[in-house]
Amino acid sequence: MEERLQKILAAAGIASRREAEKIILAGRVKVNGKTITELGCKFDAASCRITVDGKAIAAEKKVYYVFYKPRGVVTTMADPQKRRTVADFMQELPERVFPVGRLDYNTEGLLLMTNDGELAQKLMHPSHEVNKTYLVRVPGIVPQEKLDLLRIGVQLEDGLTAPAVVNLRTYDHERNNTLFDITIHEGRNRQVRRMCDFIGFPVRDLKRIKLGPLNLSGLSKGKFRKLTEAELSELKKAAGL
Ligand code: URA
């Protein structure tokens, strides 16, 4: 069956359809050895050899990794400003994985990397957004009433935040800072940083330590590991699959 190239790429888990269009326009896709840069072209995925950046997409096995993103790395597969990207760390993989959701350049921690476009879409959909836990360090000693504001919800320019779970970990009086964790299920841009700005304690360090059933166990910065069977089945359940 003939289908539009961007649809084939999305179905193969390369990227969302919109991202796939950008990949095509960038001249990164070849069909039977010929570079295709038009969006309207239709092909039969079963009878063509389709590659992205030289890697074949056909019949790609779905793979799932937890990646420990260091600070100073962009959550994209390519960066026009030539900064380090998450793709730089996954080059040894035969499959083309992409990040599910994003972490800011200066946020470290857990990123799910996969080539399963369907799971990625479900996880990102507001109706399935899974819990995400962040470890936050801010300068100063944050009073309980301020942490309560985060728990109740704060008014950001894009609306009130949903109630969050906040646990105070330590007050470090010597270094004058506070360490706490916060669990949210929304996925707004720079949400934790903006919430902390709102209470008057801008973030110094931010690290995602959990995403649904996933954690960073066994990983050091810049490393990745395969999800266990149990993690994958819990993650799929959380995504409604
Ligand atoms: N919230 C933020 O502010 N930044 C991130 O990277 C993730 C969540």
Side-chain angles (χ1 to χ4, degrees):
M1 188 184 55
E2 286 204 333
E3 284 183 313
R4 282 172 186 265
L5 192 50
Q6 58 266 47
K7 187 165 178 210
I8 295 172
L9 297 182
I14 298 298
S16 67
R17 252 188 243 187
R18 195 138 28 100
E19 282 301 317
E21 289 179 359
K22 291 188 199 157
I23 292 173
I24 295 168
L25 290 172
R28 295 164 56 192
V29 182
K30 283 187 181 170
V31 179
N32 296 332
K34 182 168 174 253
T35 303
I36 305 292
T37 52
E38 278 162 36
L39 296 179
C41 300
K42 289 187 171 181
F43 299 97
D44 179 3
S47 60
C48 295
R49 180 179 154 79
I50 301 173
T51 59
V52 177
D53 298 334
K55 286 188 180 177
I57 67 149
E60 203 168 60
K61 187 171 138 262
K62 300 280 185 276
V63 290
Y64 308 85
Y65 294 91
V66 177
F67 172 55
Y68 186 163
K69 177 183 121 41
R71 283 176 80 135
V73 172
V74 229
T75 311
T76 52
M77 300 308 286
D79 182 45
Q81 294 176 46
K82 302 269 180 266
R83 292 171 297 181
R84 271 202 308 174
T85 72
V86 294
D88 294 338
F89 293 84
M90 319 288 288
Q91 275 171 352
E92 72 205 61
L93 292 179
E95 305 88 5
R96 251 193 76 81
V97 292
F98 58 87
V100 179
R102 61 181 290 282
L103 293 176
D104 299 335
Y105 183 69
N106 279 326
T107 301
E108 63 176 3
L110 194 160
L111 258 185
L112 172 64
M113 306 285 300
T114 181
N115 56 359
D116 185 339
E118 191 191 6
L119 178 69
Q121 256 178 8
K122 297 261 180 194
L123 285 171
M124 303 283 289
H125 194 273
S127 62
H128 290 121
E129 281 211 336
V130 296
N131 282 341
K132 305 157 191 79
T133 303
Y134 298 88
L135 199 55
V136 187
R137 190 180 296 281
V138 299
I141 301 299
V142 187
Q144 281 294 345
E145 313 86 78
K146 297 282 187 182
L147 295 178
D148 283 343
L149 285 180
L150 300 178
R151 292 184 177 109
I152 297 162
V154 295
Q155 188 65 44
L156 302 180
E157 73 243 25
D158 51 0
L160 189 66
T161 59
V165 176
V166 178
N167 294 304
L168 174 65
R169 299 238 180 155
T170 45
Y171 282 144
D172 185 338
H173 290 279
E174 230 167 73
R175 292 194 187 82
N176 188 36
N177 64 47
T178 305
L179 184 67
F180 64 92
D181 64 59
I182 180 166
T183 301
I184 58 174
H185 61 82
E186 299 167 291
R188 303 193 214 168
N189 195 24
R190 300 185 73 254
Q191 182 165 341
V192 175
R193 291 179 194 274
R194 290 189 293 136
M195 290 172 79
C196 292
D197 286 346
F198 180 92
I199 61 164
F201 287 88
V203 164
R204 178 185 293 164
D205 301 314
L206 187 59
K207 174 177 173 181
R208 181 152 73 191
I209 54 174
K210 284 190 82 181
L211 172 71
L214 310 179
N215 60 46
L216 285 170
S217 74
L219 286 178
S220 50
K221 280 179 206 170
K223 300 291 181 200
F224 56 88
R225 65 169 174 83
K226 269 196 169 149
L227 266 64
T228 65
E229 288 293 325
E231 285 175 328
L232 181 57
S233 80
E234 274 188 63
L235 191 66
K236 286 188 171 172
K237 207 167 6 148
L241 281 172

